[in-house]
Amino acid sequence: MAMHSVPLWLLVLLAVALRDSCFGASSHSLKYFYTGISEPSQGQPQFVLQGYVDGQVFVHYDSQSRKMKTRVSWMEKVGKEDPQYWDKSTQNVHANEEMFRENLETVRNRNNQSKGLHTWQMMYGCEFCADGTKEGFEMHGYDGRTFLTFDKETLTWVAPDPQAQITQRKWDALPAFNQGLKSYLDGTCIEWLEKYLSYRNETLQRTEPPGVTVRGKTEVEDGMEMHICRLDGFYPREIDASWTRDGEVWLEDTFHGSVAPNADGTYHYWISIRIDPKERGCYRCHVEHDGLQEPLDLALKEPTNSKSNVGLIIIGCIVAALVLVGVIAGILVFFKKRQDYYKAPPSE
């Protein structure tokens, strides 16, 4: 894929997907992603920072607004505890933004590249896993490729790209900075993660049951049906959803998404199944969650686009059209009457 066709948001999402090292519902993570673009397309900022807690964007900064802002309601508490939090965070990012421009220009010149679209990214963060272990990382990328990765066990930088070895030697010659980075990843980062989780959990102390809907459609080619069970607005994150056939879990021809966060701190999820319409009555969407008093078993309904419903759809459209005409006529008669602190790595 050419760099010119990769939007900024996709670069960020790819970075998020590549850095999950902990697994399990009780694992938590704090991650920050910086992206600088040499020649952004129309409407795109030249520099963007996004922070994630458990995969949910909770802070955002870009070179157009030039201000660190929250994306979740539960972060409002940090401003009450520390009135200078947002101003200090913004100032820290301003320093990183200028350094990003310098580093991007340096690496581009080192590669003998003329003007054009190029990107410089930094990704760092920490996780504590379900088994009690803690992880931390920092890595830098150029044009979508890994440029430098920090090895916090040896306090050195790894340079898979030969062009990065100049920078590697410079940064390896700064043991005090590398030791400070390790201390941040192993300590300060984890402390902030725990603090952010406490803010979020105070906002979402009660459990939120999932809203569950089942929709189906007929596959025109072979007459089979695809049914999707959607679950939205639930908290906590842990949820058990599956398709059952005659009361037994059924995995054949089933698919599922990932549990993903909503802006309000709750989560959403979906599972689908492909079946013979003659056996529709055998299947159920089975859901278990802490917010439910008892498990749910939702039956499949006849798809709304099946032939038996065409007549009702046509009648509904006619009625809606007549109502719309009446509303417009009424309107015509009426008018006729009258929106972390982090120390930046050394510059190139």
Side-chain angles (χ1 to χ4, degrees):
M1 183 183 294
M3 283 299 301
H4 291 274
S5 64
V6 181
L8 174 60
W9 62 268
L10 181 55
L11 293 174
V12 174
L13 291 180
L14 285 174
V16 174
L18 291 173
R19 286 305 307 179
D20 285 333
S21 59
C22 289
F23 300 95
S26 58
S27 300
H28 298 284
S29 63
L30 171 62
K31 304 175 184 179
Y32 293 94
F33 300 88
Y34 295 69
T35 300
I37 303 179
S38 59
E39 295 182 7
S41 59
Q42 187 176 6
Q44 281 189 337
Q46 191 169 15
F47 177 83
V48 171
L49 156 66
Q50 293 210 126
Y52 294 77
V53 170
D54 290 349
Q56 178 187 22
V57 178
F58 78 107
V59 290
H60 175 90
Y61 171 94
D62 61 63
S63 54
Q64 294 176 344
S65 68
R66 294 193 54 77
K67 189 173 184 179
M68 183 79 93
K69 298 179 181 179
T70 181
R71 288 295 176 87
V72 292
S73 59
W74 50 263
M75 271 296 287
E76 295 174 359
K77 183 175 181 180
V78 72
K80 296 177 181 178
E81 291 188 352
D82 181 3
Q84 302 300 315
Y85 175 88
W86 295 108
D87 288 339
K88 288 185 289 188
S89 297
T90 298
Q91 292 171 9
N92 290 340
V93 181
H94 284 170
N96 277 326
E97 182 178 357
E98 182 59 32
M99 194 171 296
F100 257 62
R101 292 194 183 97
E102 297 173 2
N103 288 347
L104 185 54
E105 183 68 17
T106 299
V107 177
R108 190 173 68 175
N109 291 335
R110 187 182 299 168
N111 284 274
N112 297 318
Q113 294 171 324
S114 58
K115 291 185 178 180
L117 176 60
H118 300 282
T119 63
W120 178 262
Q121 290 181 285
M122 177 172 70
M123 299 158 275
Y124 71 89
C126 56
E127 303 169 283
F128 55 79
C129 308
D131 60 4
T133 61
K134 299 177 182 179
E135 303 287 345
F137 76 95
E138 176 169 315
M139 60 190 303
H140 299 256
Y142 179 65
D143 282 355
R145 303 187 306 273
T146 300
F147 190 77
L148 282 172
T149 301
F150 182 61
D151 185 338
K152 66 184 184 70
E153 302 307 319
T154 63
L155 299 180
T156 59
W157 293 86
V158 179
D161 188 331
Q163 296 295 333
Q165 292 177 4
I166 299 175
T167 305
Q168 176 192 23
R169 289 191 290 270
K170 287 183 178 180
W171 291 6
D172 281 349
L174 300 171
F177 173 79
N178 294 336
Q179 181 60 58
L181 177 54
K182 175 181 172 62
S183 298
Y184 170 82
L185 296 175
D186 289 343
T188 307
C189 184
I190 295 293
E191 292 172 5
W192 276 105
L193 171 57
E194 292 173 339
K195 182 175 292 189
Y196 293 144
L197 289 173
S198 70
Y199 294 154
R200 187 182 67 179
N201 293 340
E202 286 179 20
T203 304
L204 293 169
Q205 286 182 352
R206 66 185 188 282
T207 57
E208 296 286 349
V212 186
T213 57
V214 178
R215 296 285 186 271
K217 68 175 182 178
T218 301
E219 301 289 345
V220 178
E221 297 80 8
D222 54 12
M224 297 289 280
E225 291 181 353
M226 177 70 77
H227 292 264
I228 300 178
C229 184
R230 301 185 185 276
L231 308 93
D232 192 35
F234 56 88
Y235 187 88
R237 183 179 187 276
E238 296 78 15
I239 194 166
D240 183 7
S242 61
W243 289 106
T244 61
R245 176 187 168 95
D246 296 329
E248 300 293 329
V249 175
W250 187 259
L251 300 178
E252 185 177 339
D253 287 328
T254 63
F255 306 90
H256 63 87
S258 299
V259 177
N262 296 316
D264 62 359
T266 61
Y267 295 88
H268 64 270
Y269 180 60
W270 63 266
I271 55 174
S272 67
I273 189 171
R274 192 168 183 270
I275 65 166
D276 185 331
K278 297 178 183 178
E279 301 177 339
R280 188 188 306 128
C282 301
Y283 296 92
R284 296 288 187 275
C285 177
H286 180 81
V287 182
E288 296 183 19
H289 186 262
D290 289 345
L292 297 171
Q293 293 184 351
E294 57 185 24
L296 290 179
D297 285 285
L298 276 71
L300 278 58
K301 298 181 180 180
E302 186 175 359
T304 55
N305 61 344
S306 62
K307 294 180 179 179
S308 61
N309 286 334
V310 171
L312 291 176
I313 294 174
I314 295 175
I315 293 174
C317 292
I318 294 174
V319 171
L322 292 175
V323 171
L324 180 60
V325 170
V327 171
I328 294 175
I331 293 174
L332 292 176
V333 171
F334 173 81
F335 280 103
K336 190 172 182 179
K337 293 179 178 179
R338 306 199 38 178
Q339 156 172 145
D340 207 344
Y341 311 111
Y342 176 71
K343 183 178 179 182
S347 169
E348 275 293 280

